[in-house]
Amino acid sequence: MSSQALAFAVHIISLGLTICAIAVADHTGLDWVRGKRATVQAHKLTQLHWAVGIGLGLMIGSGFALFWPMREYLLASPAFYVKMAFVLALVINSLVIERLMHVATTSPFKQLHDATKKKLLLSGTVSAVSWIGAAVTAFFLF
């Protein structure tokens, strides 16, 4: 198996596993926001955050391995820069989530201040838009 094929396999497998972790995290968060659960277990949140973070890291690493041989083509494509903006947003948002996620372990969503609710909902929106945006722009690159 060539290094390009290996990098592609790691990229796609990481994407699939990360999507699964995101689906569980989003379902858990939605249950909390809707009041179906008062709080979320800290251990569960930490595991999900790490799973998504590791998946994102593997995708960035394998993405770089895929990028390097094609860098001249990719650097000439506006879609590449859009995709990288989405990836940067995901990295920054993961740091925001790290700071905010403890709120769900201690308080029901409806008891939070409006400013905290807005931060959490904005972070969730940034995450969803950035994951979808990165995936969609990838199709425009090839």
Side-chain angles (χ1 to χ4, degrees):
M1 179 181 279
S2 72
S3 61
Q4 284 295 101
L6 178 61
F8 184 72
V10 169
H11 203 70
I12 296 303
I13 291 168
S14 297
L15 175 61
L17 293 173
T18 303
I19 287 171
C20 292
I22 292 167
V24 172
D26 286 354
H27 184 270
T28 301
L30 186 59
D31 280 354
W32 176 67
V33 168
R34 292 173 51 194
K36 289 189 171 189
R37 59 174 75 212
T39 60
V40 180
Q41 294 176 343
H43 181 70
K44 181 175 186 171
L45 272 182
T46 301
Q47 283 182 328
L48 289 168
H49 185 67
W50 274 96
V52 173
I54 289 168
L56 179 59
L58 284 169
M59 290 178 63
I60 290 170
S62 60
F64 184 77
L66 292 168
F67 159 82
W68 194 252
M70 300 176 55
R71 63 190 176 276
E72 289 182 30
Y73 165 76
L74 291 171
L75 291 173
S77 171
F80 175 75
Y81 293 99
V82 172
K83 180 174 173 130
M84 291 304 99
F86 284 127
V87 172
L88 178 61
L90 287 167
V91 170
I92 292 169
N93 196 51
S94 73
L95 300 173
V96 172
I97 291 170
E98 179 94 24
R99 294 189 63 170
L100 293 175
M101 70 182 195
H102 75 282
V103 173
T105 67
T106 59
S107 303
F109 183 78
K110 69 180 184 176
Q111 291 180 1
L112 300 176
H113 295 290
D114 286 344
T116 303
K117 288 179 183 178
K118 287 177 186 176
K119 288 177 192 175
L120 290 163
L121 294 173
L122 178 61
S123 176
T125 301
V126 167
S127 179
V129 168
S130 296
W131 279 108
I132 292 167
V136 168
T137 55
F139 288 105
F140 288 103
L141 293 172
F142 303 105

